[in-house]
């Protein structure tokens, strides 16, 4: 059952190639758009305020005539969170996303991602996916290449030492936040270990029309500029905020919507 715009839809499920039960949600009808969330988030992030009070990107796209499909990554949200490392082979999040596209038999579709979701969107292209358009949010060339460092390393430290940090430290607060959201430290560490870097020689030939959108105060802005310099079919939009606040900025929602709903050339 597909929800109407503005309502948070119930989870639907499908089986990944290895049998893991993975969740996704849908809202709206029309040309499909697959939205890929960031690490520690889930499909609900696409309903966060960003297009006006109580709105978000998913209902905004649905209101413009799109079928919005929002998976929960393995190890996140309502999807399976297996504990064994064998359930997290290299690039498994990309394989799961490609399996969802196959499961839903999508052809004329677009993909948008933010943070980790943006890296997975690029990995989908490298592995042969053919969306008509792609939005890369909050990431740039260095992150795609795996040379950016940043939040992933800090998260890894917090997860690796779960249960050992002094109360009040940054790591302890991070652990508390993750547990308050029902995140599993073991599963998240496996997720981080599964992420694959993409060499520049595989990125450079990409020709799918791409919007790179990043906050003006995001430390990844210079990296985003490097990505569009490499790709002739990519363009950059800067929106207010840092990596966290830009994700829910109305300007980011508008940039996604304008790019994904514009008439095809």
């Amino acid at each position: 059952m597909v929800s109407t715009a503005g309502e948070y839809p119930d989870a639907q499920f499908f089986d990944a190639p290895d049998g893991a039960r993975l969740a996704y949600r849908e809202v709206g009808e029309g040309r499909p758009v697959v939205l890929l969330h960031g690490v520690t988030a889930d499909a609900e992030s696409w309903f966060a305020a960003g297009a006006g009070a109580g709105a978000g990107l998913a209902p905004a796209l649905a209101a413009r005539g799109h079928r919005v499909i929002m998976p929960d990554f393995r190890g996140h949200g309502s999807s399976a969170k297996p504990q064994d490392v064998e359930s997290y082979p290299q690039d498994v999040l990309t394989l799961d996303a490609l399996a969802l596209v196959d499961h839903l038999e999508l052809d004329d579709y677009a993909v948008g991602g933010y943070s980790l979701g943006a890296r997975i969107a690029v990995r989908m292209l490298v592995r042969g996916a053919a969306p008509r358009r792609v939005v890369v949010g909050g990431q740039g060339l260095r992150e795609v290449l795996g040379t950016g460092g940043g939040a992933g390393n800090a998260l890894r430290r917090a997860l690796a030492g779960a249960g050992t940090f002094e109360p009040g430290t940054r790591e302890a607060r991070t652990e508390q936040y993750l547990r308050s959201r029902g995140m599993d430290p073991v599963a998240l560490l496996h997720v981080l270990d599964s992420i694959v870097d993409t060499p520049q020689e595989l990125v450079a030939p990409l020709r799918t029309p791409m919007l790179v959108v990043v906050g003006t105060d995001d430390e990844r802005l210079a990296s985003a500029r490097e990505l569009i310099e490499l790709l002739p079919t990519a363009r950059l939009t800067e929106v207010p905020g840092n990596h966290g606040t830009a994700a829910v900025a109305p300007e980011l929602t508008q940039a996604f919507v304008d790019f994904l709903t514009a008439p095809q050339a």
Side-chain angles (χ1 to χ4, degrees):
M1 183 76 177
V2 177
S3 171
T4 57
E7 299 175 358
Y8 190 57
D10 293 335
Q12 303 180 64
F13 296 90
F14 77 106
D15 290 334
D18 68 348
R21 192 167 186 252
L22 303 180
Y24 67 98
R25 300 172 194 266
E26 292 192 32
V27 61
E29 297 178 351
R31 179 173 284 159
V33 176
V34 180
L35 297 180
L36 305 175
H37 62 76
V39 69
T40 76
D42 54 32
E44 190 175 3
S45 65
W46 301 114
F47 287 76
L57 178 57
L61 284 170
R64 293 288 293 271
H66 286 277
R67 173 190 179 190
V68 187
I69 301 159
M70 301 155 286
D72 287 348
F73 285 142
R74 179 181 302 234
H76 293 73
S78 299
S79 286
K81 302 177 181 67
Q83 301 290 289
D84 59 296
V85 67
E86 291 78 15
S87 295
Y88 300 86
Q90 293 292 282
D91 220 15
V92 69
L93 300 187
T94 306
L95 297 175
D96 289 343
L98 294 171
L100 177 60
V101 170
D102 288 343
H103 171 73
L104 296 176
E105 300 180 343
L106 305 180
D107 47 23
D108 183 17
Y109 68 100
V111 175
Y114 194 83
S115 198
L116 173 59
R119 288 187 67 178
I120 300 304
V122 174
R123 290 296 306 164
M124 290 176 70
L125 295 178
V126 169
R127 296 193 70 125
R132 63 184 183 88
R133 290 175 185 166
V134 173
V135 181
V136 172
Q139 299 284 268
L141 182 60
R142 299 172 204 170
E143 289 70 38
V144 171
L145 300 181
T147 61
N153 292 337
L155 178 60
R156 188 186 298 276
R157 289 194 297 271
L159 292 170
T164 68
F165 300 113
E166 289 291 329
T169 62
R170 178 181 179 183
E171 291 83 1
R173 291 195 301 270
T174 298
E175 181 183 354
Q176 183 179 15
Y177 166 76
L178 294 175
R179 292 192 183 280
S180 72
R181 290 186 53 83
M183 305 301 296
D184 184 283
V186 173
L188 276 179
L189 269 176
H190 291 328
V191 166
L192 293 176
D193 289 339
S194 77
I195 297 170
V196 172
D197 301 329
T198 306
Q200 185 162 320
E201 58 265 28
L202 295 183
V203 180
L206 298 177
R207 293 296 181 267
T208 303
M210 180 184 295
L211 173 68
V212 181
V213 55
V214 66
T216 55
D217 297 322
D218 193 330
E219 62 184 12
R220 299 157 187 81
L221 178 56
S223 177
R225 290 171 176 164
E226 292 170 359
L227 182 59
I228 66 160
E229 289 175 2
L230 180 67
L231 300 177
T233 57
R235 63 181 178 86
L236 176 67
T237 295
E238 299 178 25
V239 301
N242 57 33
H243 191 68
T245 59
V248 293
E251 293 86 353
L252 181 132
T253 292
Q254 196 62 53
F256 267 72
V257 171
D258 289 347
F259 181 73
L260 293 174
T261 61
Q264 289 183 274

